[in-house]
PDB file of all heavy atoms in Angstrom:
ATOM      1  N   ILE A   1     107.102  83.505 101.700  1.00 96.00           N
ATOM      2  CA  ILE A   1     106.353  82.340 101.233  1.00 96.00           C
ATOM      3  C   ILE A   1     104.900  82.417 101.724  1.00 96.00           C
ATOM      4  O   ILE A   1     103.993  81.842 101.129  1.00 96.00           O
ATOM      5  CB  ILE A   1     107.021  81.022 101.697  1.00 96.00           C
ATOM      6  CG1 ILE A   1     106.402  79.818 100.975  1.00 96.00           C
ATOM      7  CG2 ILE A   1     106.922  80.860 103.196  1.00 96.00           C
ATOM      8  CD1 ILE A   1     107.111  78.504 101.256  1.00 96.00           C
ATOM      9  N   ASN A   2     104.672  83.191 102.793  1.00 97.00           N
ATOM     10  CA  ASN A   2     103.328  83.389 103.345  1.00 97.00           C
ATOM     11  C   ASN A   2     102.646  84.651 102.811  1.00 97.00           C
ATOM     12  O   ASN A   2     101.554  85.001 103.259  1.00 97.00           O
ATOM     13  CB  ASN A   2     103.377  83.469 104.872  1.00 97.00           C
ATOM     14  CG  ASN A   2     103.697  82.124 105.493  1.00 97.00           C
ATOM     15  OD1 ASN A   2     103.452  81.085 104.894  1.00 97.00           O
ATOM     16  ND2 ASN A   2     104.251  82.143 106.700  1.00 97.00           N
ATOM     17  N   GLY A   3     103.296  85.356 101.899  1.00 95.00           N
ATOM     18  CA  GLY A   3     102.660  86.518 101.287  1.00 95.00           C
ATOM     19  C   GLY A   3     102.969  87.841 101.950  1.00 95.00           C
ATOM     20  O   GLY A   3     102.305  88.840 101.670  1.00 95.00           O
ATOM     21  N   THR A   4     103.964  87.885 102.826  1.00 95.00           N
ATOM     22  CA  THR A   4     104.314  89.151 103.479  1.00 95.00           C
ATOM     23  C   THR A   4     105.431  89.848 102.699  1.00 95.00           C
ATOM     24  O   THR A   4     106.078  89.262 101.833  1.00 95.00           O
ATOM     25  CB  THR A   4     104.785  88.933 104.924  1.00 95.00           C
ATOM     26  OG1 THR A   4     105.932  88.063 104.923  1.00 95.00           O
ATOM     27  CG2 THR A   4     103.683  88.322 105.755  1.00 95.00           C
ATOM     28  N   THR A   5     105.652  91.104 103.024  1.00 92.00           N
ATOM     29  CA  THR A   5     106.765  91.855 102.459  1.00 92.00           C
ATOM     30  C   THR A   5     107.485  92.559 103.600  1.00 92.00           C
ATOM     31  O   THR A   5     106.858  92.974 104.571  1.00 92.00           O
ATOM     32  CB  THR A   5     106.276  92.883 101.412  1.00 92.00           C
ATOM     33  OG1 THR A   5     107.406  93.576 100.874  1.00 92.00           O
ATOM     34  CG2 THR A   5     105.323  93.899 102.009  1.00 92.00           C
ATOM     35  N   GLY A   6     108.790  92.673 103.519  1.00 92.00           N
ATOM     36  CA  GLY A   6     109.536  93.371 104.567  1.00 92.00           C
ATOM     37  C   GLY A   6     110.395  92.432 105.389  1.00 92.00           C
ATOM     38  O   GLY A   6     109.982  91.315 105.717  1.00 92.00           O
ATOM     39  N   TYR A   7     111.602  92.923 105.726  1.00 96.00           N
ATOM     40  CA  TYR A   7     112.514  92.128 106.545  1.00 96.00           C
ATOM     41  C   TYR A   7     111.909  91.814 107.909  1.00 96.00           C
ATOM     42  O   TYR A   7     112.045  90.709 108.440  1.00 96.00           O
ATOM     43  CB  TYR A   7     113.825  92.887 106.791  1.00 96.00           C
ATOM     44  CG  TYR A   7     114.509  93.449 105.588  1.00 96.00           C
ATOM     45  CD1 TYR A   7     115.134  94.696 105.648  1.00 96.00           C
ATOM     46  CD2 TYR A   7     114.565  92.749 104.386  1.00 96.00           C
ATOM     47  CE1 TYR A   7     115.802  95.226 104.559  1.00 96.00           C
ATOM     48  CE2 TYR A   7     115.226  93.274 103.285  1.00 96.00           C
ATOM     49  CZ  TYR A   7     115.837  94.517 103.378  1.00 96.00           C
ATOM     50  OH  TYR A   7     116.489  95.051 102.290  1.00 96.00           O
ATOM     51  N   GLU A   8     111.262  92.818 108.508  1.00 98.00           N
ATOM     52  CA  GLU A   8     110.777  92.688 109.885  1.00 98.00           C
ATOM     53  C   GLU A   8     109.640  91.672 109.971  1.00 98.00           C
ATOM     54  O   GLU A   8     109.597  90.846 110.893  1.00 98.00           O
ATOM     55  CB  GLU A   8     110.307  94.055 110.395  1.00 98.00           C
ATOM     56  CG  GLU A   8     111.368  95.145 110.316  1.00 98.00           C
ATOM     57  CD  GLU A   8     111.501  95.805 108.936  1.00 98.00           C
ATOM     58  OE1 GLU A   8     110.743  95.448 108.015  1.00 98.00           O
ATOM     59  OE2 GLU A   8     112.369  96.681 108.797  1.00 98.00           O
ATOM     60  N   GLU A   9     108.707  91.751 109.001  1.00 97.00           N
ATOM     61  CA  GLU A   9     107.604  90.789 108.967  1.00 97.00           C
ATOM     62  C   GLU A   9     108.135  89.369 108.792  1.00 97.00           C
ATOM     63  O   GLU A   9     107.629  88.420 109.400  1.00 97.00           O
ATOM     64  CB  GLU A   9     106.638  91.135 107.828  1.00 97.00           C
ATOM     65  CG  GLU A   9     105.810  92.382 108.051  1.00 97.00           C
ATOM     66  CD  GLU A   9     106.477  93.670 107.587  1.00 97.00           C
ATOM     67  OE1 GLU A   9     107.706  93.653 107.347  1.00 97.00           O
ATOM     68  OE2 GLU A   9     105.787  94.698 107.461  1.00 97.00           O
ATOM     69  N   ALA A  10     109.155  89.222 107.943  1.00 97.00           N
ATOM     70  CA  ALA A  10     109.749  87.900 107.725  1.00 97.00           C
ATOM     71  C   ALA A  10     110.458  87.407 108.981  1.00 97.00           C
ATOM     72  O   ALA A  10     110.305  86.251 109.392  1.00 97.00           O
ATOM     73  CB  ALA A  10     110.733  87.961 106.556  1.00 97.00           C
ATOM     74  N   ALA A  11     111.240  88.290 109.595  1.00 98.00           N
ATOM     75  CA  ALA A  11     112.027  87.896 110.767  1.00 98.00           C
ATOM     76  C   ALA A  11     111.150  87.415 111.917  1.00 98.00           C
ATOM     77  O   ALA A  11     111.451  86.409 112.563  1.00 98.00           O
ATOM     78  CB  ALA A  11     112.902  89.067 111.220  1.00 98.00           C
ATOM     79  N   CYS A  12     110.048  88.116 112.167  1.00 98.00           N
ATOM     80  CA  CYS A  12     109.213  87.711 113.309  1.00 98.00           C
ATOM     81  C   CYS A  12     108.503  86.385 113.027  1.00 98.00           C
ATOM     82  O   CYS A  12     108.304  85.577 113.938  1.00 98.00           O
ATOM     83  CB  CYS A  12     108.220  88.803 113.694  1.00 98.00           C
ATOM     84  SG  CYS A  12     106.833  89.052 112.565  1.00 98.00           S
ATOM     85  N   GLN A  13     108.136  86.145 111.758  1.00 98.00           N
ATOM     86  CA  GLN A  13     107.563  84.841 111.423  1.00 98.00           C
ATOM     87  C   GLN A  13     108.600  83.736 111.599  1.00 98.00           C
ATOM     88  O   GLN A  13     108.297  82.654 112.109  1.00 98.00           O
ATOM     89  CB  GLN A  13     107.079  84.836 109.984  1.00 98.00           C
ATOM     90  CG  GLN A  13     105.862  85.681 109.699  1.00 98.00           C
ATOM     91  CD  GLN A  13     105.569  85.689 108.220  1.00 98.00           C
ATOM     92  OE1 GLN A  13     105.110  84.702 107.672  1.00 98.00           O
ATOM     93  NE2 GLN A  13     105.862  86.798 107.565  1.00 98.00           N
ATOM     94  N   GLY A  14     109.837  84.014 111.163  1.00 98.00           N
ATOM     95  CA  GLY A  14     110.900  83.038 111.337  1.00 98.00           C
ATOM     96  C   GLY A  14     111.115  82.710 112.794  1.00 98.00           C
ATOM     97  O   GLY A  14     111.282  81.542 113.165  1.00 98.00           O
ATOM     98  N   LEU A  15     111.114  83.745 113.632  1.00 98.00           N
ATOM     99  CA  LEU A  15     111.280  83.539 115.073  1.00 98.00           C
ATOM    100  C   LEU A  15     110.209  82.606 115.617  1.00 98.00           C
ATOM    101  O   LEU A  15     110.510  81.623 116.315  1.00 98.00           O
ATOM    102  CB  LEU A  15     111.216  84.892 115.786  1.00 98.00           C
ATOM    103  CG  LEU A  15     111.372  84.842 117.305  1.00 98.00           C
ATOM    104  CD1 LEU A  15     112.832  84.699 117.678  1.00 98.00           C
ATOM    105  CD2 LEU A  15     110.795  86.091 117.955  1.00 98.00           C
ATOM    106  N   MET A  16     108.930  82.886 115.287  1.00 98.00           N
ATOM    107  CA  MET A  16     107.835  82.076 115.828  1.00 98.00           C
ATOM    108  C   MET A  16     107.836  80.668 115.232  1.00 98.00           C
ATOM    109  O   MET A  16     107.535  79.688 115.931  1.00 98.00           O
ATOM    110  CB  MET A  16     106.500  82.764 115.574  1.00 98.00           C
ATOM    111  CG  MET A  16     106.358  84.129 116.233  1.00 98.00           C
ATOM    112  SD  MET A  16     106.797  84.158 118.003  1.00 98.00           S
ATOM    113  CE  MET A  16     105.571  83.025 118.690  1.00 98.00           C
ATOM    114  N   ALA A  17     108.179  80.549 113.940  1.00 98.00           N
ATOM    115  CA  ALA A  17     108.254  79.223 113.329  1.00 98.00           C
ATOM    116  C   ALA A  17     109.382  78.410 113.958  1.00 98.00           C
ATOM    117  O   ALA A  17     109.234  77.211 114.224  1.00 98.00           O
ATOM    118  CB  ALA A  17     108.464  79.348 111.827  1.00 98.00           C
ATOM    119  N   GLY A  18     110.530  79.062 114.189  1.00 98.00           N
ATOM    120  CA  GLY A  18     111.650  78.375 114.833  1.00 98.00           C
ATOM    121  C   GLY A  18     111.308  77.923 116.239  1.00 98.00           C
ATOM    122  O   GLY A  18     111.643  76.798 116.653  1.00 98.00           O
ATOM    123  N   ILE A  19     110.633  78.798 116.988  1.00 98.00           N
ATOM    124  CA  ILE A  19     110.209  78.446 118.349  1.00 98.00           C
ATOM    125  C   ILE A  19     109.301  77.231 118.318  1.00 98.00           C
ATOM    126  O   ILE A  19     109.502  76.246 119.059  1.00 98.00           O
ATOM    127  CB  ILE A  19     109.486  79.634 119.008  1.00 98.00           C
ATOM    128  CG1 ILE A  19     110.474  80.756 119.359  1.00 98.00           C
ATOM    129  CG2 ILE A  19     108.718  79.191 120.261  1.00 98.00           C
ATOM    130  CD1 ILE A  19     109.814  82.048 119.807  1.00 98.00           C
ATOM    131  N   ASN A  20     108.282  77.258 117.469  1.00 98.00           N
ATOM    132  CA  ASN A  20     107.289  76.186 117.470  1.00 98.00           C
ATOM    133  C   ASN A  20     107.798  74.911 116.813  1.00 98.00           C
ATOM    134  O   ASN A  20     107.375  73.803 117.193  1.00 98.00           O
ATOM    135  CB  ASN A  20     106.001  76.673 116.817  1.00 98.00           C
ATOM    136  CG  ASN A  20     105.234  77.608 117.737  1.00 98.00           C
ATOM    137  OD1 ASN A  20     105.061  77.327 118.919  1.00 98.00           O
ATOM    138  ND2 ASN A  20     104.787  78.734 117.206  1.00 98.00           N
ATOM    139  N   ALA A  21     108.716  75.027 115.848  1.00 98.00           N
ATOM    140  CA  ALA A  21     109.334  73.825 115.289  1.00 98.00           C
ATOM    141  C   ALA A  21     110.148  73.113 116.361  1.00 98.00           C
ATOM    142  O   ALA A  21     110.094  71.873 116.488  1.00 98.00           O
ATOM    143  CB  ALA A  21     110.217  74.196 114.096  1.00 98.00           C
ATOM    144  N   ALA A  22     110.901  73.880 117.145  1.00 98.00           N
ATOM    145  CA  ALA A  22     111.696  73.288 118.222  1.00 98.00           C
ATOM    146  C   ALA A  22     110.794  72.661 119.277  1.00 98.00           C
ATOM    147  O   ALA A  22     111.062  71.549 119.764  1.00 98.00           O
ATOM    148  CB  ALA A  22     112.598  74.351 118.851  1.00 98.00           C
ATOM    149  N   ARG A  23     109.720  73.351 119.634  1.00 98.00           N
ATOM    150  CA  ARG A  23     108.831  72.820 120.669  1.00 98.00           C
ATOM    151  C   ARG A  23     108.074  71.587 120.157  1.00 98.00           C
ATOM    152  O   ARG A  23     107.810  70.664 120.928  1.00 98.00           O
ATOM    153  CB  ARG A  23     107.872  73.916 121.138  1.00 98.00           C
ATOM    154  CG  ARG A  23     108.594  74.979 121.966  1.00 98.00           C
ATOM    155  CD  ARG A  23     107.670  76.049 122.482  1.00 98.00           C
ATOM    156  NE  ARG A  23     106.802  75.591 123.556  1.00 98.00           N
ATOM    157  CZ  ARG A  23     107.158  75.504 124.822  1.00 98.00           C
ATOM    158  NH1 ARG A  23     108.391  75.820 125.197  1.00 98.00           N
ATOM    159  NH2 ARG A  23     106.296  75.107 125.734  1.00 98.00           N
ATOM    160  N   ASN A  24     107.732  71.566 118.871  1.00 96.00           N
ATOM    161  CA  ASN A  24     107.138  70.355 118.301  1.00 96.00           C
ATOM    162  C   ASN A  24     108.090  69.173 118.429  1.00 96.00           C
ATOM    163  O   ASN A  24     107.695  68.072 118.814  1.00 96.00           O
ATOM    164  CB  ASN A  24     106.812  70.577 116.824  1.00 96.00           C
ATOM    165  CG  ASN A  24     105.377  70.999 116.589  1.00 96.00           C
ATOM    166  OD1 ASN A  24     104.732  71.511 117.499  1.00 96.00           O
ATOM    167  ND2 ASN A  24     104.891  70.803 115.378  1.00 96.00           N
ATOM    168  N   ALA A  25     109.357  69.414 118.074  1.00 95.00           N
ATOM    169  CA  ALA A  25     110.363  68.350 118.118  1.00 95.00           C
ATOM    170  C   ALA A  25     110.586  67.849 119.541  1.00 95.00           C
ATOM    171  O   ALA A  25     110.970  66.687 119.750  1.00 95.00           O
ATOM    172  CB  ALA A  25     111.671  68.858 117.525  1.00 95.00           C
ATOM    173  N   MET A  26     110.337  68.723 120.519  1.00 96.00           N
ATOM    174  CA  MET A  26     110.529  68.365 121.929  1.00 96.00           C
ATOM    175  C   MET A  26     109.229  67.960 122.615  1.00 96.00           C
ATOM    176  O   MET A  26     109.192  67.802 123.837  1.00 96.00           O
ATOM    177  CB  MET A  26     111.154  69.556 122.675  1.00 96.00           C
ATOM    178  CG  MET A  26     112.511  69.971 122.147  1.00 96.00           C
ATOM    179  SD  MET A  26     113.065  71.519 122.929  1.00 96.00           S
ATOM    180  CE  MET A  26     114.573  71.851 122.001  1.00 96.00           C
ATOM    181  N   ASP A  27     108.145  67.826 121.813  1.00 96.00           N
ATOM    182  CA  ASP A  27     106.824  67.449 122.346  1.00 96.00           C
ATOM    183  C   ASP A  27     106.336  68.418 123.424  1.00 96.00           C
ATOM    184  O   ASP A  27     105.790  68.004 124.458  1.00 96.00           O
ATOM    185  CB  ASP A  27     106.853  66.011 122.902  1.00 96.00           C
ATOM    186  CG  ASP A  27     107.113  64.983 121.815  1.00 96.00           C
ATOM    187  OD1 ASP A  27     106.573  65.149 120.714  1.00 96.00           O
ATOM    188  OD2 ASP A  27     107.874  64.025 122.081  1.00 96.00           O
TER     189      ASP A  27
END
C-alpha cells in the first residue's frame, strides 16, 4: 500500500507499524 515490492520490505514495515500502533495505543 506504500509502494514497495517484496515480502521482506512488506514484513519490516508491518513490524514497525505494529510496534508503533501498539505504542500509540499505550501512550
Side-chain angles (χ1 to χ4, degrees):
I1 191 173
N2 289 336
T4 59
T5 181
Y7 309 142
E8 304 82 2
E9 289 88 345
C12 73
Q13 290 175 73
L15 180 79
M16 299 310 298
I19 288 171
N20 285 314
R23 289 182 72 82
N24 265 22
M26 299 172 186
D27 295 321

